[in-house]
Amino acid sequence: MSRNQPGATTVDDAEVARFSALAGEWWDPRGKMAPLHKFNPVRLGYVRDQAAARFDRNPKRLDCLKGLRILDIGCGGGILSEPLARLGATMVGADPSATNIEAARLHAAAGDLVIDYRCTTAEELADAGERFDIVLAMEVVEHVADVPLFVRRCAEMVKPGGLMITATLNRTLKSFALAIVGAEYILRWLPVGSHQWDKFVTPNELEIALEQGGLRAFHEQGVIYNILADRWQLSTDTDVNYMIAAEKA
């Protein structure tokens, strides 16, 4: 059996429809995407620092990602793609939702940013032979139809010596209490139904998928919400949110 069966898809149509309905909310920091805006600085810092270490850059330079081709798969409205472009990266933002891509294009144009936004999927990009220094799958794997296939197709696009960085939610009782019950039903940070707990991915499951895709996970980082400071921060606690960096030899 072929590892990549013809017609195999990573797209969950229900998830795409859910996020397409929020296309007008992406850039409202006080709207339904407010939690993602608060989360953005910590994931941006993690990507910048991992990239700087891998490609021998000074992370304090405003153009520290210059010359690096980066794919932001499942980019939504471009909340992460834009600051990475400002750091000098050559950005490709991909999302299966046409309405999300349109929102991303309009916002980038308003800010005079050049970002190659495409309404497409990981498998279509991989089939086209696209290659990148860094592939980002941030808050995406818990929304795809087939995690191993998605990770494998993303891994195909990582150049030798490059990175894949993933941020997602762990499948624990703690994540159910905080990310589902707390964030969606009690605090109303997110629309009810934004996440399905059974689709959360444990670090071990993600590392196995990365390994099967020919990558080696070398750094795992937890992220927690500091209520007193009203911000997200890096932590050793991976029970709810975590990020993993993996390399291709």
Side-chain angles (χ1 to χ4, degrees), residues 59-198:
K60 295 183 180 180
R61 286 184 59 94
L62 295 180
D63 63 348
C64 63
L65 301 184
K66 187 175 181 179
L68 297 179
R69 190 169 191 246
I70 300 178
L71 170 64
D72 183 9
I73 189 74
C75 66
I79 291 176
L80 183 59
S81 295
E82 286 202 10
L84 290 170
R86 291 192 181 94
L87 289 175
T90 300
M91 291 301 304
V92 175
D95 198 282
S97 166
T99 54
N100 285 343
I101 288 298
E102 182 62 20
R105 286 171 176 163
L106 289 173
H107 198 272
D112 292 324
L113 284 173
V114 177
I115 298 174
D116 183 3
Y117 283 119
R118 308 183 194 179
C119 181
T120 188
T121 65
E123 51 269 29
E124 289 170 346
L125 288 167
D127 287 343
E130 293 281 358
R131 296 296 181 266
F132 301 88
D133 298 295
I134 302 173
V135 172
L136 304 176
M138 312 299 277
E139 291 72 51
V140 176
V141 298
E142 69 271 23
H143 298 293
V144 302
D146 185 329
V147 173
L149 176 61
F150 175 78
V151 172
R152 187 165 65 245
R153 299 315 310 267
C154 286
E156 287 179 36
M157 295 185 279
V158 180
K159 295 179 181 178
L163 298 175
M164 179 171 172
I165 301 176
T166 305
T168 190
L169 288 151
N170 199 349
R171 192 175 63 256
T172 61
L173 291 178
K174 186 174 177 181
S175 71
F176 181 80
L178 296 180
I180 302 291
V181 178
E184 295 185 15
Y185 288 88
I186 297 176
L187 297 175
R188 299 289 178 173
W189 283 353
L190 297 167
V192 172
S194 293
H195 292 107
Q196 299 174 54
W197 181 78
D198 62 337

